[in-house]
Amino acid sequence: MEERDRLEAYLRDRGLKMTVARETVLRAFLGLERHVSAEELYDEARRLDPSIGQATVFRTIKLLADAGLAREACRDDGARQYEHAWKHGHHDHLMCVRCGAVVEFQDDAIERAQEAVYSAHGYVPGGHRLELLGLCPACAGTGGGKGSA
Amino acid sequence: MEERDRLEAYLRDRGLKMTVARETVLRAFLGLERHVSAEELYDEARRLDPSIGQATVFRTIKLLADAGLAREACRDDGARQYEHAWKHGHHDHLMCVRCGAVVEFQDDAIERAQEAVYSAHGYVPGGHRLELLGLCPACAGTGGGKGSA
DNA sequence: CTTTCTGCAAAGTGTTTGCAAAAAC
DNA sequence: GTTTTTGCAAACACTTTGCAGAAAG
């Protein structure tokens, strides 16, 4: 498991230890497909090991983010979210505001246009966050004209 | 004050009342230039009227957002932020990760590329959030190579 | 006068921290 | 054996809510 190796290398590098709990959280994280809140991750980790503590999950997900395995994202309702970052390349999100469906996409034209913006302002690129909101085909078809739930 | 009119219209429309406290929060919000957390807004409102309550500020900023005067944005560290939305048109943010400098920009190429993404996936556009992170010219010049403070 | 609003303080989230026992090295 | 880690529970930051008195319409 490449991700495990990555985590172990990261830990060893900093004089930290590879523990069962950390491996459990990693497995829980890898098992969940996308955008997980820390609490969802906690639930999943508990399924793998009911004795795991909440604090451990919070501490470990930060570690994963630091090790480059998880990427942090912020959600409107306050809860932080994490998504896979290892070998997942960069992508942005297209989200349906009605049903919550999420499409991950990668668009060269957007990336290039962003580079141009950086240049125009003399900034050195250092990552970005893009979320496109709208209605998915299904919701747009079923009378999505009104924004109400 | 156009914003005040807008708020009053919004309130009247929903059978709500235009109160001193609400006007205070509005003035505080307009007085602060950009990205404000609710707590900063609370501080500012208190400066205008020391007797104002925290809950009122929280309640009112939501009202402002709903009335189209403020726009909600999420920040990595959990605290929600608000920025001016009235007559501010759409814009995105270019932010220096080192000194926090923020440039608001609007780029047609990006907007057009986004439209294309919506079309490609059959989504109906409904707003987006874009944040470009990097180093501003000043920070890039002063040895910005290392991300440390 | 009736309805909405306010400030307070208490409750509610989601997240972090202190600690002694336990695990990793 | 020494150091880091763990789970628990309490603390913490930010936001919301219940309520009786006050203000707006």
Side-chain angles (χ1 to χ4, degrees):
Chain A
M1 204 203 302
E2 228 173 305
E3 290 93 341
R4 216 202 94 113
D5 292 345
R6 168 71 195 145
L7 178 59
E8 203 156 10
Y10 170 83
L11 293 174
R12 181 165 318 228
D13 218 51
R14 304 193 22 170
L16 304 178
K17 296 169 179 178
M18 184 59 169
T19 66
V20 241
R22 280 172 183 166
E23 199 170 338
T24 300
V25 173
L26 176 62
R27 279 199 295 132
F29 178 61
L30 294 177
L32 294 167
E33 264 323 295
R34 62 184 91 255
H35 315 109
V36 228
S37 69
E39 275 198 279
E40 289 171 312
L41 190 60
Y42 176 40
D43 285 347
E44 180 66 14
R46 255 167 128 181
R47 212 160 298 140
L48 301 179
D49 171 5
S51 74
I52 204 166
Q54 194 183 21
T56 302
V57 174
F58 274 91
R59 285 187 277 232
T60 306
I61 185 63
K62 295 236 150 123
L63 230 49
L64 295 185
D66 232 43
L69 293 168
R71 191 178 294 130
E72 223 177 45
C74 56
R75 212 171 47 180
D76 285 345
D77 37 320
R80 239 166 291 175
Q81 289 207 307
Y82 298 89
E83 63 175 34
H84 294 189
W86 185 247
K87 294 263 167 125
H88 267 232
H90 164 70
H91 62 259
D92 295 306
H93 296 128
L94 172 56
M95 191 179 312
C96 178
V97 297
R98 218 170 174 224
C99 70
V102 176
V103 175
E104 298 187 344
F105 70 90
Q106 212 279 329
D107 188 80
D108 285 333
I110 290 183
E111 303 293 322
R112 257 179 285 124
Q114 290 178 349
E115 291 296 319
V117 172
Y118 279 117
S119 299
H121 294 272
Y123 272 59
V124 177
H128 69 259
R129 212 172 299 131
L130 171 61
E131 232 172 300
L132 299 183
L133 307 170
L135 292 169
C136 70
C139 290
T142 13
K146 297 250 79 169
S148 42
Chain B
M1 200 204 304
E2 227 173 305
E3 291 93 342
R4 215 201 95 113
D5 293 344
R6 167 70 196 147
L7 178 58
E8 202 155 12
Y10 169 83
L11 294 173
R12 181 166 317 228
D13 219 52
R14 304 193 21 169
L16 304 178
K17 296 170 179 178
M18 185 59 170
T19 67
V20 240
R22 280 171 183 168
E23 199 169 338
T24 300
V25 175
L26 176 62
R27 280 198 297 131
F29 178 61
L30 295 178
L32 294 167
E33 264 322 296
R34 61 184 91 254
H35 315 111
V36 229
S37 70
E39 275 197 278
E40 290 171 311
L41 190 59
Y42 176 41
D43 286 346
E44 180 66 16
R46 255 166 129 181
R47 211 161 298 139
L48 301 179
D49 172 6
S51 75
I52 204 166
Q54 193 184 22
T56 303
V57 174
F58 274 91
R59 286 186 277 232
T60 306
I61 185 64
K62 294 239 150 120
L63 230 48
L64 295 185
D66 232 43
L69 292 167
R71 190 180 294 131
E72 223 175 46
C74 56
R75 212 172 47 180
D76 284 346
D77 37 318
R80 239 166 290 177
Q81 289 207 304
Y82 297 89
E83 63 175 33
H84 294 189
W86 186 245
K87 294 263 167 125
H88 268 233
H90 165 69
H91 61 258
D92 295 306
H93 296 128
L94 174 55
M95 191 179 312
C96 178
V97 297
R98 216 171 177 225
C99 70
V102 176
V103 175
E104 299 186 344
F105 70 90
Q106 212 278 329
D107 187 81
D108 286 334
I110 290 183
E111 304 291 323
R112 257 179 284 123
Q114 290 178 349
E115 292 295 320
V117 172
Y118 280 116
S119 299
H121 293 273
Y123 271 60
V124 177
H128 68 260
R129 211 173 299 131
L130 171 61
E131 230 171 302
L132 299 183
L133 306 170
L135 292 169
C136 71
C139 290
T142 15
K146 298 251 77 171
S148 43

